[in-house]
Amino acid sequence: MNDILIFIYSNPLAQTIRENELLFPWIEAIHVLAVTLVIGSIALVDLRLIGVRALNRAISNISKELLPITWMAFLAAAITGAILFTSNALSYSQNFYFISKIILLGLAGINMMCFQFIIGKNLDSWNHYQQLPIAARIAGAISLTLWISIIFCGRWIGFTLELVSATS
């Protein structure tokens, strides 16, 4: 595993990001903006699932309107996150908050897939409900909790990252 991380760390893109004073902050800024859009759009759906907001709007309409924004922003966040990872792959791979963030992202993905393919497969039939089925409310609460935790971990990476070089 260390050889793969050293290979990632040693690639020209990673080296350019490490050596350029402006590149990392710009990529990080784009990453943060993309993550903000991801979480904001997901939170709007989750809050409707939980029954906190937009009770007079059909859940299927909210979901359909926000899904393209969520996926575009997620793609931008994933790409910029991967680029940031390459700049210090060894350090990130040893950081508790980074590892936690990756695990939480996986759990959020599992939660989303469970909702999409099991719990919410009849989403259109819920359009006339103000209070959605308990499974949908639980999935929304889990999603919101996971995404808040992802933000927390992501924020703490920068405060706890100890830089490790490939030569250490």
Side-chain angles (χ1 to χ4, degrees), residues 28-153:
E28 185 177 36
I30 294 167
H31 182 70
V32 168
L33 288 172
V35 169
T36 301
L37 279 172
V38 169
I39 301 214
S41 61
I42 288 173
L44 291 172
V45 173
D46 289 344
L47 290 172
R48 174 58 181 101
L49 289 172
I50 295 168
V52 173
R53 72 163 299 280
L55 301 179
N56 58 339
R57 294 205 52 218
I59 183 63
S60 65
N61 291 345
I62 294 170
S63 182
K64 286 174 189 164
E65 290 169 6
L66 293 173
L67 197 58
I69 294 168
T70 305
W71 280 113
M72 291 295 287
F74 185 81
L75 180 63
I79 290 168
T80 54
I83 292 169
L84 292 172
F85 175 78
T86 67
S87 71
N88 281 299
L90 292 165
S91 300
Y92 286 116
S93 70
Q94 298 173 22
N95 182 277
F96 170 80
Y97 292 102
F98 177 80
I99 294 166
S100 298
K101 180 180 176 180
I102 298 303
I103 291 168
L104 291 167
L105 279 166
L107 291 173
I110 291 167
N111 183 62
M112 184 225 26
M113 288 175 55
C114 288
F115 179 79
Q116 201 71 32
F117 297 114
I118 300 169
I119 298 166
K121 66 181 175 188
N122 299 320
L123 192 67
D124 290 334
S125 67
W126 300 345
N127 284 339
H128 60 281
Y129 297 167
Q130 276 199 330
Q131 189 170 17
L132 301 178
I134 188 73
R137 288 182 278 158
I138 291 170
I142 290 170
S143 174
L144 203 53
T145 302
L146 286 168
W147 283 104
I148 289 169
S149 300
I150 289 165
I151 290 291
F152 175 82
C153 288

